[in-house]
Amino acid sequence: MDTKKLVTFYNLAQTKNYGKTAEEIFLTQATVSKHIMALEKEWGIKLFSRKHRKVTLTQEALNVLPDVREILDKEQQ
């Protein structure tokens, strides 16, 4: 599991903005998009709904978010 992608997912879940996430974790917007698409493909779920420049978490994303947070917390220890 690539923790960089998990950090990207967790940050985007907080900011709900690709540009802000890219800025905060020092990536390009394209890289943020690639990380999210890679996780969606790997997990077989859609994480975000993108409509009219607005980003919202899907129910699947809300379900995995606590697990991702736990993994990131353990990684920092």
Side-chain angles (χ1 to χ4, degrees), residues 9-58:
F9 165 64
Y10 190 79
N11 190 283
L12 184 57
Q14 303 307 306
T15 67
K16 297 177 182 72
N17 183 294
Y18 279 77
K20 187 171 179 105
T21 291
E23 186 178 305
E24 287 184 5
I25 59 177
F26 308 104
L27 297 173
T28 65
Q29 278 185 258
T31 301
V32 171
S33 291
K34 286 178 186 176
H35 282 186
I36 298 304
M37 287 188 294
L39 287 174
E40 289 177 333
K41 184 176 181 180
E42 182 178 335
W43 294 343
I45 60 174
K46 185 172 172 120
L47 295 171
F48 295 95
S49 175
R50 304 156 190 92
K51 293 181 184 174
H52 307 293
R53 301 188 64 136
K54 186 174 182 180
V55 177
T56 55
L57 280 83
T58 63

